[in-house]
């Protein structure tokens, strides 16, 4: 069931019903502007990742600042964006199964869509979906540049798969998907630089081999919030797929020497109990804020530390007499922004203590 | 946005769109029947916890087998159940804030509702909401029986709070909330027995002191799937608040000497990549299956082991040549059932390989 919006424009932040997903609009807009200005001199374009924000409202603001399109991981996310007017969408992931491919191909009538493969059998599957829909589908080859999750090896296996795509009259070879997920959270900047230099070299070699076989490579895509300056500066990646930069989280904040994106995403919780000495309990547990990348932080309240989160309770340790009032509202910085957003139906946009907007998260739960 | 149902009745399980939340109906019904038969000789009644299932459809099946009502943690969950025809609902948790209390009091016109407090200031807050709604609200005192999260100490502090409730003409003292959360997952049965024996003694002492002050204690509630036989056999707890027993999960399966509830809840995923040697990747990551209590298990496929879950990818290690086919569908046993259910809009009920029903999860995302 869709949940009611927890706020209305004009309301004070402390009157927002909790738990709620807050977006600090000043910080959010700063982040979008900063990304645009960082990428401008590199020549690489932003194809922002909607797996983070799950919202056409956010996507349009990224597009207005120069993003050339959006990435998604799921067909349901692509549908949400296409229905919301986003004209260029890459599923930066494999889509397996005829029904999902049919849904994706159907979108090609209203938006430019593309998808990735890493298995030869998917060439025929994509071609069948494209033929049935009466469209030509753009297909990228995902290569494994070190994350060891999905993707064929760079070089000859990637070229062989690209040739099979190009040989289908129902498909268009769209380029290489070369995202290195596990590099994003390496803490030391030199580690991130080294790993992405290797990934870029794998891309360069593969693009050269494609060219030798007469295949142009329109997209070389990758790069997340932790590493994108390296991909953008590589001279070979031409599309950056960062998503978290718009919101940030406690885990990205642990990266050293990162660009100065600001924390814009918060979960607002209410103190619902303080009966136990040295403890305060929030009405936001891990159903309300993702804990897969660690516990949240309490924003600008140094005496309050998250110690354990259960389904509906966030337990805080109270230090130095910093006991909050019963009913007091506190901002939490999520450990991980993407899965936190995915638990909510609404963003509550706030500026200078007031609710300015309430935006739907149309892709909430779009897993298929 | 509400997601489309991933299946239709009559469909084969392998045709269900993924990720999907499967309910094995034979196992589910076995679990409901087993709980009813285990509690029958004890005299304790089941007030099943809807924080687990979030669905009036499941609640009604528990009620038909003798449950006297339902527990919830949130007002939004209480609304979902009351609107769905459940007649007796206890918010086994504190509700702080006038709007939420007004919503709860409004429900008292269509269902019997009760709520817990652990702070004196909440007596006036509850009374104001009840008076405004023109009802008398039943209020329980939560006591801390060892979990050190919410609740006043047992004995005199609990009695003092109960007297304040009873003194309000807008409130009815409903009894004691005495749930011990952290006891549920103690692995050794004697540990669970010891901890709940202590909790029961705290309840007994408090009930006796209430009686000395002329206060009857209609409800003494607590007990989860890990410990409920101890509460039910204590002679002092009269309402059992178990929820997970209906579904089970990998974490509860690690308890020793537990009652033979069967795993009925699964996340169905599709193998979307197997390009990396020794690895298979499912289209279900931790947005699709909660990892707060550990990674899921692959059901009845001993050669496949979950090794890491990211937002949309579940990475499996393939042992002994057990490589699954691309597109093959696998069942996962969630590490933790409650937050996994909360990510879905629909249960897909299956029996003997066929989809028998699709049930809405009306309380999905009901956090406020």
């Amino acid at each position: 069931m869709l949940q009611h919006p927890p706020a209305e424009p004009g309301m004070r932040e402390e009157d927002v019903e909790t738990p709620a997903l807050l977006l600090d609009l000043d910080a959010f807009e700063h982040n979008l502007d900063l990304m645009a200005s960082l990428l401008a001199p590199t020549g690489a374009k932003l194809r922002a990742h909607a797996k983070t924000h799950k919202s056409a409202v956010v996507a349009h603001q990224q597009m207005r600042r120069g993003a050339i399109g959006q990435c998604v991981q799921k067909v349901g996310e692509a549908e949400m964006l296409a229905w919301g007017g986003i004209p260029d969408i890459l599923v930066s992931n494999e889509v397996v199964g005829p029904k999902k491919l049919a849904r994706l191909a159907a979108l090609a009538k209203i938006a430019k869509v593309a998808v990735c493969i890493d298995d030869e059998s998917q060439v025929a599957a994509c071609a069948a979906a494209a033929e049935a829909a009466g469209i030509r589908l753009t297909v990228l080859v995902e290569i494994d540049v070190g994350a060891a999750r999905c993707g064929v090896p760079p070089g000859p296996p990637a070229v062989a798969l690209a040739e099979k795509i190009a040989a289908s009259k129902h498909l268009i070879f769209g380029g290489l998907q070369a995202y290195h997920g596990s590099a994003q959270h390496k803490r030391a900047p030199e580690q991130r630089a080294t790993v992405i230099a290797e990934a870029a070299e794998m891309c360069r070699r593969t693009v050269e081999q494609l060219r030798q076989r007469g295949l142009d490579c329109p997209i070389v895509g990758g790069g997340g919030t932790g590493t994108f300056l390296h991909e953008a500066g590589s001279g070979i990646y031409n599309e950056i797929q960062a998503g978290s930069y718009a919101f940030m989280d406690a885990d990205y904040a642990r990266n050293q020497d990162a660009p100065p994106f600001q924390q814009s995403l918060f979960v607002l919780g209410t103190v619902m109990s303080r009966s136990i000495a040295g403890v305060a309990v929030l009405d936001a547990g891990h159903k309300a804020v993702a804990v897969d990348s660690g516990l949240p932080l309490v924003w600008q309240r140094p005496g309050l530390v998250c110690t354990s989160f259960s389904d509906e309770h966030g337990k805080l340790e109270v230090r130095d007499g910093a006991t909050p009032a019963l009913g007091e509202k506190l901002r939490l910085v999520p450990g991980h922004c993407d899965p936190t957003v995915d638990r909510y139906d609404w963003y509550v946009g706030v500026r200078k203590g007031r609710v300015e907007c309430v935006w739907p998260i149309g892709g909430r739960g779009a897993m298929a």
Side-chain angles (χ1 to χ4, degrees), chain A residues 15-354:
Chain A
D15 293 330
V16 172
E17 205 51 279
T18 64
L21 190 68
L22 292 193
L23 194 54
D24 183 305
L25 294 167
D26 283 338
F28 169 69
E29 292 164 5
H30 161 87
N31 292 345
L32 300 198
D33 291 338
L34 177 60
M35 176 59 87
S37 70
L38 288 170
L39 285 185
T42 71
K45 301 300 181 188
L46 178 64
R47 182 184 288 280
H49 218 305
K51 76 188 276 296
T52 304
H53 60 68
K54 296 242 171 186
S55 166
V57 188
V58 172
H60 281 295
Q61 294 181 69
Q62 293 169 322
M63 303 292 285
R64 279 200 288 276
R65 285 169 175 85
I68 55 155
Q70 295 273 310
C71 289
V72 299
Q73 299 286 66
K74 300 286 188 166
V75 175
E77 295 169 346
E79 288 172 332
M80 175 273 295
L81 290 180
W83 297 340
I86 299 298
D88 192 338
I89 303 159
L90 165 64
V91 185
S92 59
N93 201 10
E94 287 69 30
V95 172
V96 175
K99 286 189 190 175
K100 284 178 184 157
L101 286 169
R103 286 163 53 205
L104 185 68
L107 289 182
K109 302 273 187 180
I110 59 169
K112 194 172 161 193
V113 294
V115 66
C116 300
I117 67 172
D118 70 354
D119 189 286
E120 190 184 322
S121 68
Q122 288 298 98
V123 176
C126 289
E131 183 177 11
I135 56 115
R136 287 184 76 194
L137 186 61
T138 299
V139 178
L140 283 72
V141 170
E142 179 164 9
I143 60 173
D144 173 28
V145 292
R149 188 172 67 180
C150 300
V152 296
V159 174
L161 194 50
E163 289 187 307
K164 290 199 171 67
I165 295 167
S168 167
K169 64 182 177 184
H170 304 295
L171 305 179
I172 298 165
F173 172 61
L176 297 177
Q177 169 67 16
Y179 176 68
H180 196 315
S182 55
Q184 302 309 313
H185 291 90
K186 290 185 185 297
R187 299 307 178 206
E190 58 275 18
Q191 282 184 302
R192 301 194 294 272
T194 302
V195 166
I196 300 305
E198 292 166 0
E201 185 48 38
M202 295 179 205
C203 292
R204 196 183 322 275
R205 185 158 44 88
T206 308
V207 168
E208 179 53 33
Q209 292 172 8
L210 285 165
R211 202 167 284 141
Q212 288 165 2
R213 306 287 302 194
L215 283 177
D216 191 31
C217 189
I219 296 175
V220 180
T225 296
T227 66
F228 71 95
L229 284 174
H230 302 299
E231 282 92 345
S234 69
I236 183 74
Y237 280 91
N238 58 15
E239 291 196 3
I240 296 303
Q241 303 179 340
S244 302
Y245 79 96
F247 299 152
M248 296 303 283
D249 55 35
D251 199 28
Y252 266 121
R254 288 186 273 267
N255 276 9
Q256 297 157 22
D257 290 341
F261 296 112
Q262 297 174 3
Q263 187 63 41
S264 69
L265 188 84
F266 302 90
V267 167
L268 191 70
T270 298
V271 177
M272 53 171 277
S273 175
R274 31 167 231 174
S275 289
I276 310 289
V279 170
V281 181
L282 286 179
D283 64 351
H286 61 65
K287 284 180 181 172
V289 54
V291 297
D292 59 275
S293 300
L295 292 181
L297 307 174
V298 185
W299 180 246
Q300 295 181 338
R301 291 293 295 265
L304 297 175
V305 178
C306 296
T307 53
S308 70
F309 271 54
S310 49
D311 285 347
E312 294 89 6
H313 298 83
K315 195 167 162 180
L316 314 182
E317 183 186 325
V318 179
R319 296 177 184 166
D320 308 323
T323 311
L326 193 73
E328 188 172 344
K329 289 179 181 169
L330 301 174
R331 284 184 177 191
L332 296 174
V333 177
H336 190 179
C337 54
D338 304 42
T340 298
V341 169
D342 196 40
R343 286 150 161 74
Y344 289 86
D345 294 296
W346 304 96
Y347 290 108
V348 177
V350 295
R351 200 186 313 262
K352 298 177 179 49
R354 289 272 171 189

